[in-house]
Amino acid sequence: MKKLTAILLILVMMFSLAACAPKAEEEATGTDLPSIGVTIYKFDDNFMSFVRRAIENAAADKATLELNDSQNSQATQNDQVDTMISKGVKALAINLVDPQAASTIIEKAKAADLPVIFFNKEPDAAAMASYDKAWYVGTTSSESGVIQGQVIVDAWKANPAWDRNGDGVMSYVLLKGEPGHPDAEARTKYSVETVVAAGIQVQELELQTGMWDSVKGKELMDAWIAKHGDAIEMVICNNDGMALGAIQSLNAAGYFEGDKFMPVVGVDAIPDALEQIKEGKMVGTVLNDAKNQGGATFDLALNVALGKDPLEGTSWTLDETKAVRVPYVAVTIDNIAFAEEAYK
Ligand code: BGC
């Protein structure tokens, strides 16, 4: 009798638990909208905050986002992906911390039969080819280097006085983004190669990573000004965040007053950099279209979350590596209004 009562009690408990537990999908969304799991490598990144905003705006009434700040830790991101999968998201949109970690995420997505859209940090071709439900949204990294190089060439040729010592050589310092990041590697290589290909002789005074970060950019520039002073004739930055840091440092060293000038170029065209261009403290930048990259990431993620073709109802196109590549555009004072529009 005692045993029977115990069994009955257990059965009652099991039923009531089952009745309380929402289905995985409902738990994730709380609504009928599909739930999409998103990670940003770190919220504290100038450019990525604009991509994030574009994703959030696009999602508005179409999907529920499980949005995660991976705080620059791949281990944290891996855990976040596990959690999102167990909550029942229908698709993943992943801004990797470590561009080499795509295969780890793909293994998890594959095991749960979930589609995954990588964005901003491009996985290598082998990882992308290993899963038919993986796509990428970003840019053609080399293009930003070539365009930045052209901005430098045009400005250098138009301003012979920038060759301060008149030796016919452009002596530059270069603030690099995160080593191993396809954008950082390509921008570093192609910006300088484009300048050289235009017949300008160059000398590299310094090249170090500022990890895409303003504060690190300022610290490096402080040290380089102390070491080289006016021997620096060009400041090439893999992104605007670091360019802004370099400009702070140059301001403090008395540049941009009277005829003391230093040319600085960046990439991204974030609003703060556009302000510096207007103030004449930055020569130019390259639009890295956050709005369209965020928009495309969401459009593809929503489609695959609903079991549709990733491009259905969109105007995006995929290349042979399953990537949507949003074009870069040169930005100088001449087309600043266009760049301002792009970030609204
Ligand atoms: C941007 C950088 C950003 C990085 C993050 C690049 O495309 O130009 O500003 O820090 O992506 O991965």
Side-chain angles (χ1 to χ4, degrees):
M1 189 62 202
K2 248 191 189 163
K3 207 171 170 191
L4 192 67
T5 321
I7 289 171
L8 274 175
L9 203 69
I10 288 170
L11 278 176
V12 167
M13 277 170 70
M14 276 171 65
F15 273 118
S16 49
L17 268 180
C20 288
K23 275 185 276 161
E25 186 185 343
E26 284 168 6
E27 188 182 277
T29 66
T31 69
D32 291 341
L33 299 176
S35 171
I36 298 173
V38 185
T39 65
I40 302 288
Y41 93 98
K42 62 172 185 169
F43 277 10
D44 182 20
D45 174 293
N46 263 327
F47 173 74
M48 289 315 300
S49 63
F50 290 99
V51 177
R52 170 158 58 108
R53 202 171 69 194
I55 294 176
E56 286 176 315
N57 288 343
D61 53 355
K62 298 196 178 81
T64 310
L65 299 181
E66 286 275 334
L67 194 57
N68 294 270
D69 177 0
S70 300
Q71 296 176 1
N72 213 16
S73 156
Q74 190 58 51
T76 302
Q77 183 166 87
N78 295 345
D79 291 346
Q80 290 168 337
V81 168
D82 289 337
T83 306
M84 292 190 292
I85 292 176
S86 67
K87 279 186 172 177
V89 297
K90 297 293 177 213
L92 295 168
I94 304 294
N95 174 214
L96 291 164
V97 176
D98 174 0
Q100 311 306 320
S103 50
T104 310
I105 304 295
I106 286 176
E107 266 169 40
K108 293 177 189 295
K110 246 187 195 172
D113 194 30
L114 268 186
V116 49
I117 312 295
F118 292 101
F119 61 105
N120 170 257
K121 294 201 194 185
E122 184 168 3
D124 58 51
M128 288 302 294
S130 73
Y131 187 34
D132 60 343
K133 290 183 181 167
W135 293 270
Y136 176 65
V137 175
T139 60
T140 302
S141 300
S142 57
E143 195 179 278
S144 49
V146 171
I147 294 176
Q148 188 186 50
Q150 276 158 358
V151 168
I152 297 171
V153 169
D154 292 346
W156 183 259
K157 288 190 172 167
N159 293 280
W162 290 358
D163 181 11
R164 251 189 288 267
N165 57 6
D167 65 353
V169 178
M170 188 185 92
S171 300
Y172 68 89
V173 295
L174 194 151
L175 282 167
K176 184 176 175 176
E178 178 195 350
H181 188 310
D183 290 348
E185 298 302 337
R187 288 174 194 169
T188 300
K189 179 174 176 337
Y190 289 100
S191 59
V192 177
E193 278 189 13
T194 303
V195 172
V196 171
I200 298 171
Q201 270 184 279
V202 298
Q203 182 195 9
E204 180 190 292
L205 294 178
E206 299 284 350
L207 188 161
Q208 279 189 56
T209 176
M211 296 300 286
W212 302 122
D213 184 77
S214 276
V215 176
K216 291 201 177 75
K218 179 182 179 308
E219 284 167 5
L220 285 168
M221 197 65 214
D222 284 346
W224 295 344
I225 293 172
K227 187 166 160 198
H228 303 284
D230 270 350
I232 304 170
E233 295 170 330
M234 177 67 68
V235 183
I236 307 175
C237 308
N238 276 180
N239 79 341
D240 288 347
M242 295 185 294
L244 293 171
I247 289 171
Q248 268 183 37
S249 170
L250 289 161
N251 275 334
Y255 285 86
F256 311 118
E257 272 167 34
D259 57 1
K260 208 168 154 59
F261 181 74
M262 181 74 81
V264 179
V265 291
V267 175
D268 282 343
I270 54 173
D272 285 350
L274 300 180
E275 283 309 309
Q276 298 302 319
I277 294 178
K278 284 201 236 167
E279 284 181 31
K281 295 185 178 182
M282 216 169 136
V283 171
T285 185
V286 182
L287 173 68
N288 191 8
D289 191 335
K291 207 200 269 179
N292 276 315
Q293 289 174 56
T297 300
F298 177 75
D299 289 347
L300 268 67
L302 178 64
N303 271 337
V304 295
L306 297 171
K308 298 181 186 170
D309 180 89
L311 299 182
E312 193 173 316
T314 76
S315 51
W316 309 115
T317 53
L318 289 172
D319 69 7
E320 65 290 350
T321 64
K322 299 185 291 169
V324 171
R325 299 191 190 271
V326 178
Y328 286 105
V329 186
V331 176
T332 62
I333 192 70
D334 300 333
N335 63 345
I336 197 108
F338 148 81
E340 283 172 326
E341 261 328 289
Y343 263 90
K344 266 185 192 148

